[in-house]
Amino acid sequence: MKAAYGYTIPSPLQGKSNGVVMDLGIRGRSAIVCASSQGLGKGCALALAEAGVALIINGRNPDLLEQTAQEIRNAWGVPVTPVLADVSTAEGQAALLKACPTPDILVNNNAGPPVRNFRELDRRAILDGVTMNMVTPIELIQKVIDSMVSRGFGRIVNITSYSVKMPIVGLDLSSGARAGLTAFMAGVCRTVADKNVTINNLLPGSFDTQRLRNNLSLAAKRNQVSEAEATARSIANIPAKRFGNPAEFGQACAFLCSVHAGFMTGQNILLDGGAYPGAF
Ligand SMILES: NC(=O)c1ccc[n+]([C@@H]2O[C@H](COP(=O)([O-])OP(=O)(O)OC[C@H]3O[C@@H](n4cnc5c(N)ncnc54)[C@H](OP(=O)(O)O)[C@@H]3O)[C@@H](O)[C@H]2O)c1
């Protein structure tokens, strides 16, 4: 698979499966996948659709959202309901829940705060970042968790960031808000584990999405190098020597949502090509 900058990404689907595909045991289930018209959220939506899950997808750009909904329907033939809404708002969350009041699966995702020196963040900006990456997922979990508990099945996946474990200069607000969510859910997940409801976090490193491309473009300008050079420098820091692709991120998400992952909760799963340098 060719990615934005001309290097080759090995597709997770390139290997020979001999026609044998793991059954995730969630065919016919329903999922709300927030912020999923492109990027990592879309990767999760596609992988869940492949597993036979009916989807609510979400974004703010109507054309992109409709295009993605059609792409997923065409690819996997599952029902896909696009909900045009800002997930950070009460109205946006109400629209998602109206489309699917009792989802079996919730994938929390949202935009991240812009790269900024922490000195430049005023109170409004800090509260907005905390709202996007901590308060919003908590609110959505509050709204779906009891129905999951009563049905004896629920899978919640929060897309956070490897910055929860490894600081990234300029993304302090993102790191702090997501670490807050992580600590909050560490307690909550243990209160529902006996009801077959799990809450886990996926921590992306560098994935080839629009957000990454925007950040690389900014880095190129800041360092007065070409985008190709900024990309090469970024890849050089990843032991896998490539960016991740949203499809492989989605497959990890779908596994966490599967029947096979019922004994796995409160975990922080790094998907970063080895970028985090610790043994634990
Ligand atoms: N890509 C990476 O390497 C990486 C690494 C670490 C962490 N992350 C985090 O992972 C998350 C997803 O990143 P990404 O790279 O997939 O971003 P992306 O390619 O920019 O995609 C973001 C998606 O979210 C939607 N969205 C954004 N704000 C929204 C809102 N308020 N309400 C509803 N939908 C919204 C966007 O559609 P609309 O704009 O049309 O709403 C789009 O579909 C972000 O929080 C990011 O910080 C990404």
Side-chain angles (χ1 to χ4, degrees), residues 35-41 58-61 64 85-88 109-112 133 159-161 178 204-207 209-212:
S36 48
S37 56
Q38 64 177 1
L40 301 180
N58 162 242
R60 295 161 304 171
N61 174 330
L64 184 61
D86 180 341
V87 69
S88 301
N109 187 33
N110 203 343
N133 295 141
I159 300 181
T160 64
S161 171
R178 296 178 202 276
S206 295
F207 276 80
T209 66
Q210 192 56 49
R211 176 174 166 90
L212 181 80

Side-chain angles (χ1 to χ4, degrees), residues 165 268 270 276-280:
K165 288 180 81 94
N268 291 289
L270 274 168
Y276 174 71
F280 302 101

Side-chain angles (χ1 to χ4, degrees), residues 96-134:
L96 286 166
L97 269 295
K98 187 168 178 221
C100 184
T102 56
D104 300 306
I105 294 165
L106 170 67
V107 180
N108 274 314
N109 187 33
N110 203 343
V115 179
R116 192 157 296 164
N117 184 311
F118 84 96
R119 292 173 188 78
E120 294 165 12
L121 298 169
D122 60 17
R123 174 178 281 230
R124 183 71 264 153
I126 295 172
L127 291 178
D128 283 350
V130 171
T131 300
M132 281 196 293
N133 295 141
M134 181 177 173

Side-chain angles (χ1 to χ4, degrees), residues 201-261:
N201 307 304
L202 279 178
L203 283 56
S206 295
F207 276 80
D208 187 19
T209 66
Q210 192 56 49
R211 176 174 166 90
L212 181 80
R213 282 172 227 151
N214 294 345
N215 285 346
L216 286 172
S217 184
L218 289 172
K221 284 197 189 93
R222 200 170 49 242
N223 299 320
Q224 298 182 318
V225 297
S226 67
E227 291 196 5
E229 176 58 22
T231 301
R233 288 183 189 180
S234 180
I235 287 175
N237 292 324
I238 304 170
K241 300 301 171 207
R242 66 177 179 92
F243 293 138
N245 83 55
E248 60 193 329
F249 187 88
Q251 294 296 336
C253 176
F255 176 75
L256 287 179
C257 297
S258 76
V259 292
H260 310 298

Side-chain angles (χ1 to χ4, degrees), residues 20-63:
V20 180
V21 175
M22 185 175 185
D23 182 354
L24 298 185
I26 49 177
R27 185 164 299 280
R29 297 265 181 202
S30 59
I32 295 178
V33 186
C34 303
S36 48
S37 56
Q38 64 177 1
L40 301 180
K42 178 179 174 183
C44 296
L46 273 162
L48 288 169
E50 182 180 357
V53 174
L55 295 175
I56 306 300
I57 65 164
N58 162 242
R60 295 161 304 171
N61 174 330
D63 296 338

